[in-house]
Amino acid sequence: MKNPPSLKDELNDSQYQAVTTTDGPVLVIAGAGSGKTRTLVYRVAHLINSGVDADSILLLTFTRKASQEMLWRAGRILNDSCSRVTGGTFHGVANMLLRRYGSHLGFGTGFTIIDRADAEGIINLLKSSLELSGPKKQFPSKRALINMISGSVNKAIDLEDLIFEQYSHLSEFADDILILQKHYKIFKYDHGLMDYDDLLVNWQRLLEELPQARQEISNRYQYIMVDEYQDTNLIQADIVRLAAYQHDNVMVVGDDSQSIYSFRGADFYNIMRFPEIFPRTRIIKLEENYRSSQPILSLTNDIIRSAAEKYTKTLFTSIEGERKPYLYGGRDERLEADFVVKKILELQAEGIDLNNIAVLFRSGFHSFKLELELGSHAIQFEKRGGLKLTESAHMKDVLAVLRLLVNPLDNLSWNRLLLSIEKVGPKTAQKITAAISGADDPFAALASYPAGKTWKQGIAGLAKLFAKLRSSGEKPGGLCEMILNWYQPVFERLYADDYPKRQKDLDQLKTIIESYDDLQSFIDDTTLDPPETDQQAYGNTIDTLVLSTIHSAKGLEWEAVFVIGLADGRFPHASAFPGESWEEERRLLYVAATRAKQYLYLTYPRELMTPDRKFKRVGMSPFLVEISPGTYERLEHSYGNSDSFISQKPSRRPPKPPSSKKRKKVPLEHFSKGSRVDHPFFGAGTVQKLTPPRSLDISFDRHGVKTLHLDYAKLSILES
């Protein structure tokens, strides 16, 4: 047993309070760069060192890598007992518990987890079998349908309500979409499949519907910790409440100012409501920042200062640095890109590596002009995003074989494999799948299937492969080797254009699977936490500039950060109006700015092209207008000389929009469901829902349903 270092010496006062407050509910508001991971690591070590059994601790994170790193670090502080802590994602822990208790809900332990692409494939099959698709039908795409079905689960609203509120242009298909949802649910149950949403829904069901399971789980996990709580959805928040019902020993860590994933179903109000859900909550704020210089923090504090709802906090640091963030407005996107490239070259000349510089933006297309400019200067860059390793088609082919070994009822995998056989088309594949899936032994049924002349050899080869795999007794690595030997000629035929490039992925798969002793664990991990594609395999150099959407940059940091496209109408997004979506856009800018350590550049074009290919003058983002000019230094372009930039101290604060605080606040009680109102932009509408303290859902006659906040919306009540 190690003697852990003195907590007082290793933690600041706020971190120490968070680590040592172990009984009852605790909400840790962790500002950007304030050491929340360190706090969680030391809390795990402190609990175990205080006599808490490691098996009774549950650590929930949003990536498996995060939990593994935390527990490894805790072990370095204390000892190997930290490895007995149950750590993982909500989906990963749900998978573990459902394999243990799932039979009580009516499904076996051998279910297969499907990813987004698999779900879309099932939807396509069902669309065809229900005759909802065809050359003359304009039925929604598989992607839109999964967005709707998944959205209704994650946002905890009925699918029909979601369609009419957010997809009103598809409302004519509502009845058919509801039928499709029903068949999708039946298909998954019949074939032993669960998608990501099912894992959470069934864990919630387990805790709600089975008192014995709820009691066992709550008894086992006496101390629950949740990272990034601001990113949880309503189901996840409910799971935490139910799992802790016997003791309330819950510590959640998060930052309301970094809640930016509502499009995935994350609910900003989970973190705001936590003290109501768990009475006696102790709130601890981590405000000392260990990443950025004080001038950068002064600006980021100013960005979030105007947020409508927040836990008030002020970030500070002892990091030296007097360089203020820079603000630059280019005449157009080309000159904005020109400025960014020249500054990147200057930073390189100062000794900052490219991989320590990032350019962040609201949407992927905002970087197109910059990408061209970088190319013309031969600056290597990596644009973040793209496929995970196991999302590519050739990897899914190999995984289909492995998935069938653990779940022979997986019709989606059967269909995929059969389509890889030469001369087998979609109709034949579906026919074979239907014939063998109902058999007691699908593998034997495949071997005896009366195959056609042109594809008989292919079916025989696949049947022979399965017979060999099932009798081999090999570990996952050996099974993979046998599958790849069978797959190589199929692979070269299916991907003739670029199979040498794809081959590197198969080589990576062999390396990854070698570390597994259990095939089911490998299958689960590749779906729940798929590995990234190895960028080095594709020839990227180490010193590469990062281009990234802000959503993909959360949790990362760089020495120098450029945030581009900060123009009115582009940031916040043009569809965002004062209310919840507007406030999330504000938080998005806050997240972007807090990624920078020493250099922060905020840029925008003064001219944008409209959809009808006309140019219009635009100003800076309303969020920049709100910031005090004393927190940044403005750089102006000298148009006579494209290489010249001059520094200007603003002589006055930019004009602020009319403040809603000056207007008399209209009480929510003045409105009622069904009353008619008028908005200066949206026109006339009908109140559909009132959400305390200050929000309304209004169905506007010409603009559909909008959620508005009374502090921003200039509403007037129309006489009936």
Side-chain angles (χ1 to χ4, degrees), residues 593-693:
T594 52
R595 302 307 96 201
K597 294 181 180 179
Q598 287 290 335
Y599 297 83
L600 176 62
Y601 296 87
L602 307 172
T603 74
Y604 66 98
R606 299 177 186 272
E607 187 177 77
L608 287 174
M609 183 181 286
T610 62
D612 56 358
R613 303 192 65 76
K614 293 179 181 177
F615 289 96
K616 71 169 183 177
R617 296 283 292 173
V618 293
M620 68 173 82
S621 164
F623 301 139
L624 295 182
V625 174
E626 293 175 350
I627 298 172
S628 168
T631 60
Y632 59 80
E633 184 176 337
R634 183 185 287 275
L635 298 176
E636 295 292 345
H637 197 292
S638 174
Y639 291 114
N641 179 356
S642 63
D643 291 330
S644 174
F645 297 95
I646 57 174
S647 171
Q648 287 190 352
K649 305 282 185 183
S651 58
R652 63 183 179 87
R653 186 181 179 112
K656 291 193 75 171
S659 174
S660 60
K661 294 178 182 178
K662 293 180 181 178
R663 294 190 291 114
K664 186 177 179 181
K665 289 189 176 182
V666 182
L668 187 67
E669 294 74 25
H670 281 202
F671 299 86
S672 60
K673 188 174 179 180
S675 62
R676 296 284 289 171
V677 296
D678 185 70
H679 184 274
F681 179 82
F682 297 123
T686 303
V687 176
Q688 288 194 334
K689 180 182 176 184
L690 288 82
T691 306

Side-chain angles (χ1 to χ4, degrees), residues 489-539:
V490 177
F491 168 63
E492 293 179 13
R493 172 174 53 82
L494 291 176
Y495 308 102
D497 292 340
D498 63 349
Y499 76 83
K501 179 180 176 180
R502 293 173 181 257
Q503 184 74 50
K504 295 166 185 173
D505 289 344
L506 299 179
D507 295 339
Q508 276 187 261
L509 177 65
K510 284 192 286 187
T511 303
I512 294 166
I513 200 171
E514 285 288 349
S515 63
Y516 285 83
D517 291 325
D518 170 34
L519 184 56
Q520 182 72 66
S521 297
F522 170 75
I523 296 295
D524 290 347
D525 285 352
T526 54
T527 311
L528 290 169
D529 195 16
E532 301 281 356
T533 300
D534 183 359
Q535 296 294 332
Q536 299 306 313
Y538 292 94

Side-chain angles (χ1 to χ4, degrees), residues 165 580 686-691 695-700 705-708:
E165 288 177 15
E580 289 182 24
T686 303
V687 176
Q688 288 194 334
K689 180 182 176 184
L690 288 82
T691 306
S695 294
L696 307 91
D697 287 3
I698 301 169
S699 176
F700 289 100
V705 177
K706 304 290 179 187
T707 300
L708 301 182

Side-chain angles (χ1 to χ4, degrees), residues 61-348:
T61 60
F62 274 81
T63 67
R64 189 176 59 160
K65 181 180 178 183
S67 65
Q68 288 176 332
E69 182 182 341
M70 287 182 201
L71 296 180
W72 177 80
R73 285 172 58 179
R76 298 262 296 180
I77 295 168
L78 196 61
N79 55 42
D80 289 343
S81 63
C82 296
S83 64
R84 299 203 330 267
V85 170
T86 299
T89 64
F90 275 90
H91 295 87
V93 174
N95 173 53
M96 176 192 73
L97 293 174
L98 290 172
R99 293 199 187 278
R100 185 177 303 165
Y101 297 103
S103 59
H104 298 293
L105 293 175
F107 49 83
T109 59
F111 60 84
T112 296
I113 305 166
I114 59 172
D115 63 15
R116 176 63 180 253
D118 296 328
E120 289 180 2
I122 294 171
I123 289 294
N124 246 5
L125 287 173
L126 293 174
K127 276 172 65 177
S128 177
S129 64
L130 294 170
E131 298 184 347
L132 297 174
S133 61
K136 295 182 180 180
K137 296 188 178 181
Q138 299 299 314
F139 201 68
S141 68
K142 61 184 180 181
R143 175 168 294 185
L145 290 164
I146 284 295
N147 282 343
M148 285 184 268
I149 292 170
S150 180
S152 71
V153 174
N154 284 287
K155 295 175 183 178
I157 59 176
D158 289 337
L159 178 58
E160 188 172 14
D161 291 340
L162 181 80
I163 294 168
F164 283 96
E165 288 177 15
Q166 298 182 26
Y167 298 87
S168 55
H169 59 295
L170 300 174
S171 57
E172 63 181 294
F173 303 110
D175 290 342
D176 285 337
I177 294 171
L178 292 173
I179 291 170
L180 188 65
Q181 180 198 34
K182 179 182 175 182
H183 281 267
Y184 175 59
K185 187 175 181 179
I186 293 169
F187 183 97
K188 288 183 294 180
Y189 184 82
D190 287 347
H191 297 95
L193 307 175
M194 282 196 207
D195 60 25
Y196 294 138
D197 298 331
D198 294 326
L199 291 169
L200 296 183
V201 169
N202 287 323
W203 186 7
Q204 183 189 39
R205 283 183 58 206
L206 196 66
L207 294 169
E208 278 186 337
E209 299 174 16
L210 297 172
Q212 184 181 348
R214 180 170 67 245
Q215 186 172 346
E216 283 183 29
I217 291 168
S218 191
N219 274 339
R220 174 173 179 182
Y221 299 119
Q222 290 287 318
Y223 293 88
I224 299 174
M225 287 176 276
V226 186
D227 189 20
E228 303 284 13
Y229 193 71
Q230 78 281 347
D231 294 336
T232 55
N233 61 26
L234 288 168
I235 297 175
Q236 289 164 326
D238 201 37
I239 285 170
V240 172
R241 179 185 62 81
L242 289 165
Y245 88 104
Q246 291 201 144
H247 49 72
D248 281 0
N249 292 331
V250 178
M251 184 180 88
V252 301
V253 182
D255 184 2
D256 53 297
S257 299
Q258 297 188 68
S259 178
I260 59 172
Y261 293 117
S262 65
F263 66 95
R264 294 181 186 168
D267 192 325
F268 168 75
Y269 291 101
N270 278 350
I271 197 166
M272 305 304 292
R273 282 190 296 253
F274 186 84
E276 299 171 24
I277 295 169
F278 289 93
R280 302 183 303 108
T281 291
R282 180 168 180 184
I283 300 175
I284 300 170
K285 297 177 183 178
L286 306 185
E287 297 174 290
E288 183 171 0
N289 179 282
Y290 295 92
R291 174 188 299 152
S292 307
S293 64
Q294 189 58 52
I296 289 175
L297 296 180
S298 297
L299 181 136
T300 56
N301 286 334
D302 225 28
I303 290 172
I304 212 67
R305 173 179 51 82
S306 301
E309 294 184 69
K310 62 183 180 295
Y311 288 101
T312 302
K313 58 185 175 298
T314 302
L315 298 182
F316 66 92
T317 187
S318 59
I319 296 173
E320 294 183 3
E322 298 179 357
R323 189 182 293 104
K324 288 184 178 181
Y326 299 102
L327 177 65
Y328 171 74
R331 185 177 61 203
D332 53 25
E333 288 184 271
R334 186 187 66 78
L335 282 177
E336 181 190 21
D338 179 66
F339 168 80
V340 172
V341 169
K342 285 182 169 59
K343 285 296 173 186
I344 288 170
L345 293 171
E346 285 180 20
L347 291 169
Q348 276 190 289

